[in-house]
mmCIF file of all heavy atoms in Angstrom:
data_model
loop_
_atom_site.group_PDB
_atom_site.id
_atom_site.type_symbol
_atom_site.label_atom_id
_atom_site.label_comp_id
_atom_site.label_asym_id
_atom_site.label_seq_id
_atom_site.Cartn_x
_atom_site.Cartn_y
_atom_site.Cartn_z
ATOM 1 N N TYR T 1051 96.015 104.829 109.851
ATOM 2 C CA TYR T 1051 97.016 103.764 109.850
ATOM 3 C C TYR T 1051 96.895 102.859 111.071
ATOM 4 O O TYR T 1051 96.999 101.629 110.951
ATOM 5 C CB TYR T 1051 98.413 104.375 109.777
ATOM 6 C CG TYR T 1051 99.439 103.447 109.193
ATOM 7 C CD1 TYR T 1051 99.378 103.076 107.849
ATOM 8 C CD2 TYR T 1051 100.469 102.941 109.974
ATOM 9 C CE1 TYR T 1051 100.318 102.239 107.306
ATOM 10 C CE2 TYR T 1051 101.424 102.097 109.430
ATOM 11 C CZ TYR T 1051 101.349 101.747 108.093
ATOM 12 O OH TYR T 1051 102.278 100.896 107.557
ATOM 13 N N ASP T 1052 96.668 103.407 112.238
ATOM 14 C CA ASP T 1052 96.534 102.570 113.435
ATOM 15 C C ASP T 1052 95.333 101.644 113.323
ATOM 16 O O ASP T 1052 95.371 100.502 113.800
ATOM 17 C CB ASP T 1052 96.419 103.438 114.689
ATOM 18 C CG ASP T 1052 97.757 104.034 115.101
ATOM 19 O OD1 ASP T 1052 98.797 103.519 114.628
ATOM 20 O OD2 ASP T 1052 97.766 104.996 115.887
ATOM 21 N N GLU T 1053 94.257 102.111 112.705
ATOM 22 C CA GLU T 1053 93.097 101.247 112.506
ATOM 23 C C GLU T 1053 93.418 100.151 111.508
ATOM 24 O O GLU T 1053 92.994 98.997 111.665
ATOM 25 C CB GLU T 1053 91.896 102.070 112.027
ATOM 26 C CG GLU T 1053 91.328 102.994 113.083
ATOM 27 C CD GLU T 1053 89.813 103.128 112.962
ATOM 28 O OE1 GLU T 1053 89.210 102.434 112.130
ATOM 29 O OE2 GLU T 1053 89.261 103.939 113.713
ATOM 30 N N ARG T 1054 94.177 100.471 110.445
ATOM 31 C CA ARG T 1054 94.554 99.455 109.475
ATOM 32 C C ARG T 1054 95.437 98.394 110.116
ATOM 33 O O ARG T 1054 95.357 97.216 109.757
ATOM 34 C CB ARG T 1054 95.286 100.100 108.287
ATOM 35 C CG ARG T 1054 94.443 101.136 107.569
ATOM 36 C CD ARG T 1054 94.797 101.289 106.115
ATOM 37 N NE ARG T 1054 96.191 101.528 105.812
ATOM 38 C CZ ARG T 1054 96.759 102.727 105.779
ATOM 39 N NH1 ARG T 1054 96.061 103.810 106.095
ATOM 40 N NH2 ARG T 1054 98.021 102.872 105.443
ATOM 41 N N ARG T 1055 96.271 98.782 111.058
ATOM 42 C CA ARG T 1055 97.107 97.796 111.750
ATOM 43 C C ARG T 1055 96.254 96.779 112.508
ATOM 44 O O ARG T 1055 96.602 95.601 112.585
ATOM 45 C CB ARG T 1055 98.031 98.506 112.752
ATOM 46 C CG ARG T 1055 99.338 98.998 112.159
ATOM 47 C CD ARG T 1055 100.377 99.139 113.263
ATOM 48 N NE ARG T 1055 101.673 99.505 112.733
ATOM 49 C CZ ARG T 1055 102.241 100.685 112.850
ATOM 50 N NH1 ARG T 1055 101.589 101.660 113.465
ATOM 51 N NH2 ARG T 1055 103.437 100.921 112.362
ATOM 52 N N ARG T 1056 95.142 97.227 113.066
ATOM 53 C CA ARG T 1056 94.292 96.320 113.852
ATOM 54 C C ARG T 1056 93.375 95.472 112.980
ATOM 55 O O ARG T 1056 92.806 94.501 113.460
ATOM 56 C CB ARG T 1056 93.442 97.129 114.842
ATOM 57 C CG ARG T 1056 94.245 97.834 115.926
ATOM 58 C CD ARG T 1056 93.346 98.283 117.060
ATOM 59 N NE ARG T 1056 92.383 99.263 116.635
ATOM 60 C CZ ARG T 1056 92.596 100.586 116.659
ATOM 61 N NH1 ARG T 1056 93.759 101.053 117.077
ATOM 62 N NH2 ARG T 1056 91.665 101.433 116.258
ATOM 63 N N LEU T 1057 93.255 95.821 111.725
ATOM 64 C CA LEU T 1057 92.341 95.122 110.830
ATOM 65 C C LEU T 1057 92.934 93.774 110.419
ATOM 66 O O LEU T 1057 93.984 93.696 109.808
ATOM 67 C CB LEU T 1057 92.073 95.979 109.590
ATOM 68 C CG LEU T 1057 91.249 95.366 108.468
ATOM 69 C CD1 LEU T 1057 89.859 94.992 108.973
ATOM 70 C CD2 LEU T 1057 91.145 96.310 107.296
ATOM 71 N N ASN T 1058 92.259 92.678 110.805
ATOM 72 C CA ASN T 1058 92.609 91.326 110.373
ATOM 73 C C ASN T 1058 94.084 90.992 110.625
ATOM 74 O O ASN T 1058 94.801 90.529 109.736
ATOM 75 C CB ASN T 1058 92.274 91.151 108.890
ATOM 76 C CG ASN T 1058 92.310 89.701 108.447
ATOM 77 O OD1 ASN T 1058 92.249 88.786 109.269
ATOM 78 N ND2 ASN T 1058 92.425 89.486 107.155
ATOM 79 N N GLU T 1059 94.533 91.193 111.860
ATOM 80 C CA GLU T 1059 95.936 90.945 112.185
ATOM 81 C C GLU T 1059 96.339 89.492 111.943
ATOM 82 O O GLU T 1059 97.431 89.215 111.449
ATOM 83 C CB GLU T 1059 96.201 91.327 113.640
ATOM 84 C CG GLU T 1059 96.181 92.834 113.887
ATOM 85 C CD GLU T 1059 96.399 93.192 115.344
ATOM 86 O OE1 GLU T 1059 95.762 92.543 116.198
ATOM 87 O OE2 GLU T 1059 97.186 94.096 115.620
ATOM 88 N N ALA T 1060 95.457 88.548 112.289
ATOM 89 C CA ALA T 1060 95.777 87.128 112.109
ATOM 90 C C ALA T 1060 95.918 86.790 110.630
ATOM 91 O O ALA T 1060 96.828 86.041 110.229
ATOM 92 C CB ALA T 1060 94.703 86.265 112.760
ATOM 93 N N GLY T 1061 95.020 87.328 109.806
ATOM 94 C CA GLY T 1061 95.101 87.067 108.377
ATOM 95 C C GLY T 1061 96.370 87.625 107.770
ATOM 96 O O GLY T 1061 97.031 86.979 106.943
ATOM 97 N N LYS T 1062 96.753 88.834 108.177
ATOM 98 C CA LYS T 1062 97.976 89.441 107.654
ATOM 99 C C LYS T 1062 99.211 88.654 108.087
ATOM 100 O O LYS T 1062 100.165 88.511 107.304
ATOM 101 C CB LYS T 1062 98.075 90.886 108.126
ATOM 102 C CG LYS T 1062 97.044 91.807 107.494
ATOM 103 C CD LYS T 1062 97.115 93.198 108.093
ATOM 104 C CE LYS T 1062 96.057 94.111 107.493
ATOM 105 N NZ LYS T 1062 96.050 95.455 108.106
ATOM 106 N N ALA T 1063 99.204 88.147 109.318
ATOM 107 C CA ALA T 1063 100.345 87.357 109.789
ATOM 108 C C ALA T 1063 100.499 86.086 108.968
ATOM 109 O O ALA T 1063 101.620 85.677 108.617
ATOM 110 C CB ALA T 1063 100.169 87.030 111.273
ATOM 111 N N ALA T 1064 99.381 85.427 108.638
ATOM 112 C CA ALA T 1064 99.436 84.211 107.827
ATOM 113 C C ALA T 1064 99.938 84.516 106.418
ATOM 114 O O ALA T 1064 100.742 83.764 105.844
ATOM 115 C CB ALA T 1064 98.052 83.560 107.777
ATOM 116 N N ILE T 1065 99.468 85.627 105.850
ATOM 117 C CA ILE T 1065 99.944 86.057 104.528
ATOM 118 C C ILE T 1065 101.447 86.299 104.577
ATOM 119 O O ILE T 1065 102.196 85.874 103.686
ATOM 120 C CB ILE T 1065 99.205 87.336 104.098
ATOM 121 C CG1 ILE T 1065 97.742 87.027 103.779
ATOM 122 C CG2 ILE T 1065 99.895 87.993 102.896
ATOM 123 C CD1 ILE T 1065 96.875 88.271 103.637
ATOM 124 N N ALA T 1066 101.898 86.982 105.627
ATOM 125 C CA ALA T 1066 103.320 87.321 105.748
ATOM 126 C C ALA T 1066 104.182 86.072 105.847
ATOM 127 O O ALA T 1066 105.258 85.994 105.236
ATOM 128 C CB ALA T 1066 103.532 88.212 106.970
ATOM 129 N N ARG T 1067 103.721 85.074 106.600
ATOM 130 C CA ARG T 1067 104.505 83.835 106.726
ATOM 131 C C ARG T 1067 104.642 83.147 105.371
ATOM 132 O O ARG T 1067 105.729 82.667 105.008
ATOM 133 C CB ARG T 1067 103.842 82.894 107.742
ATOM 134 C CG ARG T 1067 104.015 83.347 109.185
ATOM 135 C CD ARG T 1067 103.594 82.259 110.150
ATOM 136 N NE ARG T 1067 102.156 81.987 110.081
ATOM 137 C CZ ARG T 1067 101.245 82.625 110.817
ATOM 138 N NH1 ARG T 1067 101.623 83.558 111.677
ATOM 139 N NH2 ARG T 1067 99.967 82.311 110.727
ATOM 140 N N ALA T 1068 103.554 83.078 104.626
ATOM 141 C CA ALA T 1068 103.602 82.432 103.315
ATOM 142 C C ALA T 1068 104.514 83.194 102.364
ATOM 143 O O ALA T 1068 105.296 82.594 101.607
ATOM 144 C CB ALA T 1068 102.192 82.324 102.741
ATOM 145 N N CYS T 1069 104.424 84.514 102.375
ATOM 146 C CA CYS T 1069 105.272 85.329 101.517
ATOM 147 C C CYS T 1069 106.744 85.154 101.868
ATOM 148 O O CYS T 1069 107.596 84.975 100.979
ATOM 149 C CB CYS T 1069 104.853 86.793 101.627
ATOM 150 S SG CYS T 1069 105.843 87.927 100.625
ATOM 151 N N ALA T 1070 107.055 85.190 103.152
ATOM 152 C CA ALA T 1070 108.452 85.069 103.586
ATOM 153 C C ALA T 1070 109.043 83.717 103.197
ATOM 154 O O ALA T 1070 110.237 83.626 102.866
ATOM 155 C CB ALA T 1070 108.544 85.287 105.092
ATOM 156 N N ARG T 1071 108.219 82.657 103.216
ATOM 157 C CA ARG T 1071 108.720 81.335 102.816
ATOM 158 C C ARG T 1071 109.121 81.305 101.344
ATOM 159 O O ARG T 1071 109.954 80.484 100.940
ATOM 160 C CB ARG T 1071 107.657 80.268 103.087
ATOM 161 C CG ARG T 1071 107.502 79.893 104.543
ATOM 162 C CD ARG T 1071 106.722 78.603 104.709
ATOM 163 N NE ARG T 1071 105.349 78.729 104.250
ATOM 164 C CZ ARG T 1071 104.323 79.053 105.035
ATOM 165 N NH1 ARG T 1071 104.535 79.300 106.337
ATOM 166 N NH2 ARG T 1071 103.103 79.132 104.549
ATOM 167 N N ALA T 1072 108.548 82.191 100.537
ATOM 168 C CA ALA T 1072 108.861 82.225 99.103
ATOM 169 C C ALA T 1072 110.102 83.051 98.792
ATOM 170 O O ALA T 1072 110.521 83.109 97.637
ATOM 171 C CB ALA T 1072 107.661 82.767 98.331
ATOM 172 N N ILE T 1073 110.671 83.686 99.798
ATOM 173 C CA ILE T 1073 111.858 84.526 99.606
ATOM 174 C C ILE T 1073 113.079 83.775 100.134
ATOM 175 O O ILE T 1073 113.152 83.453 101.321
ATOM 176 C CB ILE T 1073 111.706 85.867 100.345
ATOM 177 C CG1 ILE T 1073 110.504 86.639 99.791
ATOM 178 C CG2 ILE T 1073 112.985 86.698 100.207
ATOM 179 C CD1 ILE T 1073 110.143 87.861 100.595
ATOM 180 N N PRO T 1074 114.044 83.472 99.285
ATOM 181 C CA PRO T 1074 115.215 82.720 99.738
ATOM 182 C C PRO T 1074 116.225 83.609 100.459
ATOM 183 O O PRO T 1074 116.197 84.841 100.336
ATOM 184 C CB PRO T 1074 115.800 82.189 98.425
ATOM 185 C CG PRO T 1074 115.439 83.242 97.421
ATOM 186 C CD PRO T 1074 114.083 83.757 97.845
ATOM 187 N N ASP T 1075 117.102 82.987 101.215
ATOM 188 C CA ASP T 1075 118.251 83.702 101.750
ATOM 189 C C ASP T 1075 119.074 84.249 100.588
ATOM 190 O O ASP T 1075 119.079 83.710 99.475
ATOM 191 C CB ASP T 1075 119.126 82.768 102.586
ATOM 192 C CG ASP T 1075 118.461 82.351 103.889
ATOM 193 O OD1 ASP T 1075 117.526 83.052 104.332
ATOM 194 O OD2 ASP T 1075 118.870 81.316 104.457
ATOM 195 N N GLY T 1076 119.780 85.332 100.850
ATOM 196 C CA GLY T 1076 120.672 85.890 99.844
ATOM 197 C C GLY T 1076 119.981 86.700 98.760
ATOM 198 O O GLY T 1076 120.585 86.959 97.714
ATOM 199 N N ALA T 1077 118.739 87.102 98.993
ATOM 200 C CA ALA T 1077 117.982 87.827 97.977
ATOM 201 C C ALA T 1077 118.046 89.333 98.202
ATOM 202 O O ALA T 1077 118.275 89.807 99.320
ATOM 203 C CB ALA T 1077 116.522 87.367 97.986
ATOM 204 N N SER T 1078 117.816 90.080 97.126
ATOM 205 C CA SER T 1078 117.598 91.523 97.243
ATOM 206 C C SER T 1078 116.106 91.767 97.040
ATOM 207 O O SER T 1078 115.480 91.176 96.161
ATOM 208 C CB SER T 1078 118.406 92.280 96.193
ATOM 209 O OG SER T 1078 117.975 91.954 94.877
ATOM 210 N N LEU T 1079 115.547 92.643 97.854
ATOM 211 C CA LEU T 1079 114.118 92.889 97.742
ATOM 212 C C LEU T 1079 113.753 94.296 98.193
ATOM 213 O O LEU T 1079 114.520 94.958 98.886
ATOM 214 C CB LEU T 1079 113.302 91.861 98.540
ATOM 215 C CG LEU T 1079 113.537 91.740 100.041
ATOM 216 C CD1 LEU T 1079 112.248 91.377 100.760
ATOM 217 C CD2 LEU T 1079 114.572 90.644 100.327
ATOM 218 N N PHE T 1080 112.561 94.708 97.782
ATOM 219 C CA PHE T 1080 111.993 95.981 98.198
ATOM 220 C C PHE T 1080 110.702 95.683 98.944
ATOM 221 O O PHE T 1080 109.855 94.926 98.465
ATOM 222 C CB PHE T 1080 111.699 96.873 96.993
ATOM 223 C CG PHE T 1080 111.383 98.298 97.369
ATOM 224 C CD1 PHE T 1080 112.337 99.291 97.236
ATOM 225 C CD2 PHE T 1080 110.132 98.649 97.870
ATOM 226 C CE1 PHE T 1080 112.054 100.609 97.589
ATOM 227 C CE2 PHE T 1080 109.845 99.950 98.225
ATOM 228 C CZ PHE T 1080 110.802 100.938 98.092
ATOM 229 N N LEU T 1081 110.552 96.302 100.108
ATOM 230 C CA LEU T 1081 109.319 96.202 100.886
ATOM 231 C C LEU T 1081 108.614 97.547 100.860
ATOM 232 O O LEU T 1081 109.157 98.557 101.300
ATOM 233 C CB LEU T 1081 109.609 95.792 102.334
ATOM 234 C CG LEU T 1081 109.852 94.305 102.584
ATOM 235 C CD1 LEU T 1081 110.283 94.068 104.022
ATOM 236 C CD2 LEU T 1081 108.604 93.488 102.288
ATOM 237 N N ASP T 1082 107.397 97.550 100.371
ATOM 238 C CA ASP T 1082 106.608 98.751 100.142
ATOM 239 C C ASP T 1082 105.934 99.209 101.441
ATOM 240 O O ASP T 1082 106.026 98.575 102.488
ATOM 241 C CB ASP T 1082 105.563 98.420 99.070
ATOM 242 C CG ASP T 1082 104.995 99.641 98.379
ATOM 243 O OD1 ASP T 1082 105.490 100.754 98.637
ATOM 244 O OD2 ASP T 1082 104.056 99.485 97.581
ATOM 245 N N ILE T 1083 105.189 100.297 101.347
ATOM 246 C CA ILE T 1083 104.416 100.814 102.470
ATOM 247 C C ILE T 1083 103.199 99.929 102.719
ATOM 248 O O ILE T 1083 102.575 99.441 101.782
ATOM 249 C CB ILE T 1083 103.959 102.253 102.198
ATOM 250 C CG1 ILE T 1083 105.170 103.178 102.054
ATOM 251 C CG2 ILE T 1083 103.025 102.771 103.287
ATOM 252 C CD1 ILE T 1083 104.826 104.569 101.558
ATOM 253 N N GLY T 1084 102.862 99.719 103.990
ATOM 254 C CA GLY T 1084 101.642 98.993 104.307
ATOM 255 C C GLY T 1084 101.782 98.152 105.559
ATOM 256 O O GLY T 1084 102.892 97.749 105.941
ATOM 257 N N THR T 1085 100.673 97.878 106.188
ATOM 258 C CA THR T 1085 100.701 97.087 107.416
ATOM 259 C C THR T 1085 100.998 95.618 107.122
ATOM 260 O O THR T 1085 101.588 94.931 107.961
ATOM 261 C CB THR T 1085 99.355 97.203 108.158
ATOM 262 O OG1 THR T 1085 98.288 96.791 107.298
ATOM 263 C CG2 THR T 1085 99.103 98.642 108.597
ATOM 264 N N THR T 1086 100.623 95.125 105.942
ATOM 265 C CA THR T 1086 100.923 93.735 105.617
ATOM 266 C C THR T 1086 102.392 93.572 105.261
ATOM 267 O O THR T 1086 103.017 92.561 105.612
ATOM 268 C CB THR T 1086 100.034 93.231 104.467
ATOM 269 O OG1 THR T 1086 98.666 93.545 104.757
ATOM 270 C CG2 THR T 1086 100.153 91.723 104.324
ATOM 271 N N THR T 1087 102.987 94.559 104.592
ATOM 272 C CA THR T 1087 104.423 94.475 104.332
ATOM 273 C C THR T 1087 105.213 94.573 105.634
ATOM 274 O O THR T 1087 106.280 93.962 105.759
ATOM 275 C CB THR T 1087 104.877 95.561 103.341
ATOM 276 O OG1 THR T 1087 104.473 96.850 103.816
ATOM 277 C CG2 THR T 1087 104.298 95.324 101.966
ATOM 278 N N GLU T 1088 104.706 95.292 106.603
ATOM 279 C CA GLU T 1088 105.353 95.300 107.927
ATOM 280 C C GLU T 1088 105.315 93.909 108.542
ATOM 281 O O GLU T 1088 106.285 93.452 109.167
ATOM 282 C CB GLU T 1088 104.671 96.311 108.839
ATOM 283 C CG GLU T 1088 104.954 97.754 108.463
ATOM 284 C CD GLU T 1088 104.243 98.743 109.373
ATOM 285 O OE1 GLU T 1088 103.941 98.378 110.521
ATOM 286 O OE2 GLU T 1088 103.982 99.874 108.928
ATOM 287 N N ALA T 1089 104.194 93.214 108.373
ATOM 288 C CA ALA T 1089 104.099 91.840 108.876
ATOM 289 C C ALA T 1089 105.115 90.938 108.172
ATOM 290 O O ALA T 1089 105.720 90.051 108.795
ATOM 291 C CB ALA T 1089 102.678 91.309 108.690
ATOM 292 N N VAL T 1090 105.331 91.155 106.869
ATOM 293 C CA VAL T 1090 106.347 90.389 106.144
ATOM 294 C C VAL T 1090 107.729 90.656 106.729
ATOM 295 O O VAL T 1090 108.541 89.731 106.902
ATOM 296 C CB VAL T 1090 106.323 90.740 104.643
ATOM 297 C CG1 VAL T 1090 107.483 90.057 103.911
ATOM 298 C CG2 VAL T 1090 104.994 90.329 104.010
ATOM 299 N N ALA T 1091 108.021 91.904 107.052
ATOM 300 C CA ALA T 1091 109.320 92.247 107.640
ATOM 301 C C ALA T 1091 109.570 91.444 108.915
ATOM 302 O O ALA T 1091 110.676 90.938 109.135
ATOM 303 C CB ALA T 1091 109.394 93.747 107.922
ATOM 304 N N HIS T 1092 108.556 91.308 109.756
ATOM 305 C CA HIS T 1092 108.713 90.503 110.976
ATOM 306 C C HIS T 1092 109.078 89.065 110.643
ATOM 307 O O HIS T 1092 109.859 88.430 111.367
ATOM 308 C CB HIS T 1092 107.422 90.540 111.792
ATOM 309 C CG HIS T 1092 107.214 91.801 112.578
ATOM 310 N ND1 HIS T 1092 107.982 92.122 113.693
ATOM 311 C CD2 HIS T 1092 106.336 92.820 112.410
ATOM 312 C CE1 HIS T 1092 107.577 93.283 114.171
ATOM 313 N NE2 HIS T 1092 106.592 93.728 113.425
ATOM 314 N N GLU T 1093 108.505 88.538 109.557
ATOM 315 C CA GLU T 1093 108.753 87.144 109.193
ATOM 316 C C GLU T 1093 110.108 86.943 108.520
ATOM 317 O O GLU T 1093 110.524 85.797 108.296
ATOM 318 C CB GLU T 1093 107.634 86.640 108.278
ATOM 319 C CG GLU T 1093 106.267 86.602 108.926
ATOM 320 C CD GLU T 1093 106.203 85.679 110.134
ATOM 321 O OE1 GLU T 1093 106.906 84.645 110.129
ATOM 322 O OE2 GLU T 1093 105.452 86.008 111.076
ATOM 323 N N LEU T 1094 110.800 88.026 108.197
ATOM 324 C CA LEU T 1094 112.119 87.932 107.560
ATOM 325 C C LEU T 1094 113.275 88.044 108.552
ATOM 326 O O LEU T 1094 114.439 88.046 108.138
ATOM 327 C CB LEU T 1094 112.259 89.030 106.500
ATOM 328 C CG LEU T 1094 111.361 88.915 105.270
ATOM 329 C CD1 LEU T 1094 111.511 90.157 104.395
ATOM 330 C CD2 LEU T 1094 111.683 87.664 104.464
ATOM 331 N N LEU T 1095 112.959 88.088 109.819
ATOM 332 C CA LEU T 1095 114.014 88.342 110.813
ATOM 333 C C LEU T 1095 115.009 87.194 110.936
ATOM 334 O O LEU T 1095 116.135 87.395 111.400
ATOM 335 C CB LEU T 1095 113.379 88.643 112.174
ATOM 336 C CG LEU T 1095 112.614 89.975 112.247
ATOM 337 C CD1 LEU T 1095 112.038 90.193 113.645
ATOM 338 C CD2 LEU T 1095 113.508 91.145 111.847
ATOM 339 N N ASP T 1096 114.631 86.000 110.515
ATOM 340 C CA ASP T 1096 115.571 84.869 110.563
ATOM 341 C C ASP T 1096 116.218 84.581 109.213
ATOM 342 O O ASP T 1096 117.008 83.638 109.104
ATOM 343 C CB ASP T 1096 114.838 83.613 111.062
ATOM 344 C CG ASP T 1096 114.435 83.722 112.531
ATOM 345 O OD1 ASP T 1096 115.170 84.383 113.290
ATOM 346 O OD2 ASP T 1096 113.389 83.160 112.897
ATOM 347 N N HIS T 1097 115.885 85.348 108.181
ATOM 348 C CA HIS T 1097 116.532 85.166 106.883
ATOM 349 C C HIS T 1097 117.974 85.665 106.946
ATOM 350 O O HIS T 1097 118.314 86.555 107.730
ATOM 351 C CB HIS T 1097 115.779 85.937 105.796
ATOM 352 C CG HIS T 1097 114.595 85.207 105.255
ATOM 353 N ND1 HIS T 1097 113.593 84.702 106.050
ATOM 354 C CD2 HIS T 1097 114.246 84.885 103.962
ATOM 355 C CE1 HIS T 1097 112.678 84.113 105.287
ATOM 356 N NE2 HIS T 1097 113.054 84.204 104.027
#
C-alpha cells in the first residue's frame, strides 16, 4: 500500500480534482478502498 501511494501521485491528484468537481454539494456518496479514492477525499474537504 505505501508503494501504491507513491505511484503517480500527481496523476492521482489530477484525477481526484476532476472527480470532485463532478460531485455537487448536498450529495450522498460512497468512497471505496484505494489510494486514488483517498486523493478524492482530500478534494472534497471544501464541499
Side-chain angles (χ1 to χ4, degrees):
Y1051 205 68
D1052 284 343
E1053 290 214 5
R1054 301 208 308 273
R1055 273 203 175 108
R1056 294 196 296 270
L1057 174 61
N1058 193 18
E1059 289 178 315
K1062 291 175 182 177
I1065 290 168
R1067 286 191 294 271
C1069 179
R1071 285 195 295 267
I1073 299 171
D1075 290 340
S1078 64
L1079 59 147
F1080 192 102
L1081 280 173
D1082 200 6
I1083 297 170
T1085 57
T1086 310
T1087 54
E1088 289 179 25
V1090 174
H1092 282 290
E1093 296 299 327
L1094 293 174
L1095 292 181
D1096 291 328
H1097 277 53

